[in-house]
Amino acid sequence: MLSSIAEHTPSPRHTVIASTVHANMAEVRPALQELIFQIPLGFASLLIPTLILYLSIYARAVHRLFLANLLVFFSIGAFLACPYLAPLCCGPARSLQNITIACGCMKALDIFARRSSLPAYVKKPVPHPAVLAFIVLIEFRYESFAPNHIRTPRHAERFSEPTQLALMVAVFAALQSLPQTLPTILAFEVLLSIYITMTSGQLLIRYKSSPALFGPLYLADSLSGFWSETWHNCFASPCQGIAYEPIRNTLPRYGVPVVVARSLGVFAAFGLMAIFHIYAVAPILPWSSLVRIGLFFFLNGVGTVVEAMIWGKRKHWLKALLAWSFEIALATWTAKAAHIPNGLSHIPWKEVCGQTSQW
């Protein structure tokens, strides 16, 4: 009988694991409940500015240009007012709200910047202006228009997006088994988490003809190629219309050499992305981390310009090696100060929805 009791008595190790899992679930539940409550509240606060932006696009579609321009700036003001009209106390919920606000503002500014040359709808027949305005609103890459920011049509892609997603999920899971105190591991996990989240969303809501958001990450062979051909291009239009083109086209009129204007335009595009990412994660990261994120994008701009000056568009194994080395070193340096949880199992759920949430 004693041996039977001993067989059914849990070992100390199993007891510790069970108690740890129970404690983690006790922390996870209230955090998730708060997130489930606050995320819809945050998105609801964005309905009015989104509606104003839609009306601006509609006004432009029916050639009410003064009203369209006026509503663009009303929409930007409404987006920026959302955190004050609907304040959220949960860090991740505020971060999602900030991401949406930034996307809305960039969309509005991009439309205003292209007010004299909006992309043309390519399919026939052209839909009613109300429908056309909605399509313009939801398409960041202007897939239904020309010109657009599609790298390669889906029928010409040489890889499967679902297969690439499954591969990246497997790599992310494998990284979770490695020491999570290494900043390089954390940097790769951040990269893959962005890839997995955005690609999963793309597969859920895309058109049947939508091309992939990302190229195969392992095929990147340069800094310029990574940012223009491999990484997602959701923000290519605002980066070009708001940042790059104004600098590139304006400075030569004042005697600035074209090559210098082009380089400064690249810096402006990376600067816009730095502002976007800093604003997006400001609710969950301390100031020191935000500074490094800003420098990450600025230094990527510097590296891209220097690479173009040295190599141009030529491909070379040394160019690829230097690009990977530079990007890994820079991402590792950024991750060191980012206060990223050491793996999914070490997320401090008690602090997730705190007033000063910094993970």
Side-chain angles (χ1 to χ4, degrees):
M1 180 177 292
L2 292 176
S3 62
S4 176
I5 293 174
E7 290 176 0
H8 292 85
T9 301
S11 66
R13 179 174 178 272
H14 290 164
T15 302
V16 170
I17 293 175
S19 61
T20 301
V21 171
H22 180 75
N24 287 340
M25 289 305 298
E27 294 178 5
V28 169
R29 192 176 295 110
L32 289 181
Q33 288 174 345
E34 190 66 24
L35 279 171
I36 291 171
F37 170 74
Q38 292 208 16
I39 289 176
L41 180 63
F43 282 121
S45 69
L46 298 163
L47 292 177
I48 292 177
T50 303
L51 176 60
I52 298 174
L53 179 57
Y54 167 78
L55 292 175
S56 170
I57 301 170
Y58 175 76
R60 191 171 302 281
V62 296
H63 307 293
R64 300 288 297 276
L65 301 184
F66 176 79
L67 179 61
N69 293 336
L70 188 64
L71 288 174
V72 158
F73 290 101
F74 273 132
S75 71
I76 293 172
F79 274 118
L80 295 177
C82 284
Y84 304 98
L85 299 178
L88 306 177
C89 64
C90 187
R94 285 160 48 210
S95 184
L96 287 173
Q97 186 186 46
N98 280 10
I99 291 172
T100 311
I101 290 170
C103 288
C105 290
M106 285 198 299
K107 183 74 174 183
L109 289 172
D110 184 41
I111 291 172
F112 180 76
R114 300 180 183 280
R115 60 192 179 278
S116 59
S117 58
L118 284 176
Y121 192 77
V122 296
K123 299 178 182 179
K124 302 295 182 183
V126 177
H128 186 276
V131 177
L132 185 65
F134 180 74
I135 296 173
V136 173
L137 177 69
I138 64 173
E139 291 189 5
F140 265 80
R141 297 186 291 174
Y142 299 108
E143 299 173 38
S144 303
F145 301 83
N148 58 39
H149 293 274
I150 301 302
R151 300 185 186 114
T152 305
R154 189 180 177 193
H155 62 80
E157 290 177 348
R158 298 183 179 180
F159 61 92
S160 166
E161 190 173 23
T163 301
Q164 290 295 315
L165 175 61
L167 177 61
M168 294 301 105
V169 169
V171 174
F172 182 82
L175 288 176
Q176 291 294 313
S177 65
L178 299 178
Q180 298 298 298
T181 54
L182 298 176
T184 302
I185 299 297
L186 297 178
F188 273 106
E189 288 174 350
V190 170
L191 176 111
L192 291 174
S193 65
I194 296 171
Y195 179 100
I196 291 168
T197 301
M198 295 189 67
T199 302
S200 299
Q202 146 95 345
L203 291 175
L204 287 175
I205 63 174
R206 70 176 182 177
Y207 302 141
K208 290 183 179 180
S209 59
S210 292
L213 272 180
F214 297 82
L217 299 182
Y218 48 83
L219 294 182
D221 58 2
S222 65
L223 291 176
S224 58
F226 175 79
W227 291 110
S228 63
E229 300 173 11
T230 302
W231 199 239
H232 75 83
N233 60 345
C234 288
F235 305 128
S237 184
C239 281
Q240 184 175 343
I242 301 171
Y244 178 81
E245 288 182 351
I247 300 293
R248 164 66 179 81
N249 297 333
T250 302
L251 292 183
R253 300 173 189 171
Y254 297 93
V256 177
V258 172
V259 65
V260 175
R262 188 183 298 120
S263 299
L264 293 176
V266 171
F267 290 149
F270 276 99
L272 178 62
M273 285 296 94
I275 294 170
F276 169 81
H277 286 83
I278 289 173
Y279 182 71
V281 298
I284 59 175
L285 293 180
W287 177 247
S288 59
S289 300
L290 301 180
V291 170
R292 289 210 183 188
I293 290 172
L295 288 173
F296 172 82
F297 284 97
F298 172 75
L299 293 175
N300 261 289
V302 173
T304 301
V305 169
V306 172
E307 179 189 74
M309 292 172 59
I310 297 174
W311 298 95
K313 295 184 178 180
R314 290 180 294 124
K315 292 184 179 293
H316 196 278
W317 66 267
L318 182 58
K319 179 182 180 181
L321 178 62
L322 290 173
W324 275 93
S325 301
F326 174 83
E327 203 64 60
I328 291 173
L330 185 56
T332 300
W333 176 78
T334 305
K336 281 183 179 179
H339 294 264
I340 303 170
N342 293 333
L344 296 177
S345 61
H346 289 83
I347 295 177
W349 291 101
K350 285 183 178 180
E351 303 173 15
V352 164
C353 284
Q355 293 289 339
T356 57
S357 175
Q358 296 176 0
W359 291 116

